[in-house]
Amino acid sequence: MNIGVPKEIKNNESRVALTPGGVFELVNYGHHVYIQETAGIGSGFSDEDYREAGAVMLPSIEAVYAMSEMIVKVKEPIPQEYPLIKRNQILFTYFHFASSESLTRAMIASKAVCIAYETVRDDDGSLPLLTPMSEVAGRMAIQQGAKYLEKPIKGRGVLLGGVPGVPPGRVLILGAGVVGVQAAKMAAGLGAHVTVLDINMKRLRYINDIMPPHVITEFSSVYNIKRHIKNHDLIIGAVLIPGAKAPRLITRAMLKDMRPGTVLVDVAVDQGGCFETTRPTTHEDPTYIINDIVHYCVANMPGAVPYTSTLALTNVTLPYVLKLANLGWETACAEYPELGRGLNIVKGEVMVEEIRDAFESLLA
Ligand SMILES: NC(=O)c1ccc[n+]([C@@H]2O[C@H](COP(=O)([O-])OP(=O)(O)OC[C@H]3O[C@@H](n4cnc5c(N)ncnc54)[C@H](O)[C@@H]3O)[C@@H](O)[C@H]2O)c1
């Protein structure tokens, strides 16, 4: 199969969809891989690295789309790519269709086969192509939070690990899923005192089993949240109710109960955020302050660490790229049902109920 990897052109996106190692693997199976020149630079891979692995480097995005039966990407195509997409071309990437009617319209019109990373779903409901990005965001949440706790950037001036003779900082984590566990692990590693709240007792039992004793768990209730926000320095929002907007666990009125310089990191910002005062921010301007409380609400946290994020993402996508290339999309999606659940729009037909629900008028 001819497989193409364009350079990501979405603002601030430095990840790339295939590493030279992935190219090597595909070429070994007899496939042709076309990479747009400089596509890997932001993730630390040179054109020479790709050539050595067996890729053909092409000078333009137009050439990559024109040569390829399957396009592998990181982010959804943006409007300038729409006219380049060919009928029956496979597009394998993050789409998040329900959040963009214009993208949905464009992909229906393209008659391409759109397989979305975010809906590839295992039988147990887990989302294997989303997990690594949650892992990155969870670990980053503590790194960012620790930085913004510094006084010059308006934080409380607390060192999370403390020092001998001075107690450590306190970190409150709302949600003990993938993001929450990784955040707890990082915070505990720094020596912080960590409190993790969730409504799922299985998750709390898991945390209790694997974490050191300075990580404590409690059931998530309004009462407990109100009690803890008063004496924690860094609060991480990491809740998710699948398919729904994040619950608002900290209201605007509750900010006055926190100490000035407390830092809120809302990782759940991409689902609307779990603090009432959350609004999405960017890596250029990641924070804002309300009532002396620092808010960090970057919606694409993994984009700031493309060296790590590209490897983490391609570790999980490559096996599916190989299946699609070796078997063709129809056989691959039939033999691997989790991949089949990634089919969102196929040759103009919408396959996913959530997209149909989101844009009823569009599809009527
Ligand atoms: N900002 C970013 O760059 C970025 C990157 C990756 C993931 N995310 C987002 O982070 C969020 C968490 O992702 P995840 O992979 O950890 O999800 P997950 O499903 O693994 O975990 C979510 C947890 O929230 C818990 N929860 C639900 N309601 C709760 C409540 N009222 N109180 C406490 N806990 C509650 C659930 O029981 C679950 O354990 C999602 O919104 C995801 O989209 C953001």
Side-chain angles (χ1 to χ4, degrees), residues 206-227:
Y206 174 69
I207 295 254
N208 191 261
D209 280 346
I210 63 161
M211 294 286 169
H214 60 293
V215 177
I216 61 154
T217 56
E218 262 187 62
F219 194 78
S220 178
S221 63
V222 177
Y223 182 83
N224 279 339
I225 292 172
K226 278 190 158 178
R227 203 161 51 83

Side-chain angles (χ1 to χ4, degrees), residues 86-248:
K86 299 186 292 186
R87 182 180 275 263
N88 296 339
Q89 199 168 39
I90 303 168
L91 301 179
F92 191 38
T93 189
Y94 288 121
F95 278 105
H96 296 285
F97 277 117
S99 63
S100 172
E101 180 170 336
S102 55
L103 174 70
T104 306
R105 260 182 207 283
M107 293 307 109
I108 291 173
S110 73
K111 301 275 193 283
V113 176
C114 303
I115 310 175
Y117 290 165
E118 69 274 9
T119 66
V120 171
R121 195 174 68 246
D122 283 327
D123 290 342
D124 64 3
S126 60
L127 303 165
L129 306 192
L130 271 186
T131 300
M133 295 304 100
S134 287
E135 289 168 340
V136 170
R139 290 184 175 210
M140 252 187 89
I142 300 302
Q143 197 168 304
Q144 295 302 308
K147 182 168 79 194
Y148 288 105
L149 273 171
E150 292 171 12
K151 198 72 182 172
I153 21 191
K154 306 282 189 276
R156 282 198 74 225
V158 169
L159 183 65
L160 275 185
V163 287
V166 181
R170 298 169 72 91
V171 179
L172 175 65
I173 300 175
L174 306 175
V178 181
V179 169
V181 169
Q182 297 304 322
K185 193 168 176 171
M186 291 295 278
L190 283 176
H193 173 98
V194 185
T195 308
V196 186
L197 308 187
D198 201 302
I199 48 174
N200 181 336
M201 282 308 299
K202 278 193 189 153
R203 298 303 302 170
L204 294 183
R205 277 194 195 103
Y206 174 69
I207 295 254
N208 191 261
D209 280 346
I210 63 161
M211 294 286 169
H214 60 293
V215 177
I216 61 154
T217 56
E218 262 187 62
F219 194 78
S220 178
S221 63
V222 177
Y223 182 83
N224 279 339
I225 292 172
K226 278 190 158 178
R227 203 161 51 83
H228 285 304
I229 58 174
K230 290 179 186 158
N231 63 3
H232 280 72
D233 304 295
L234 170 59
I235 302 176
I236 310 290
V239 302
L240 177 69
I241 300 176
K245 284 191 84 148
R248 291 288 158 89

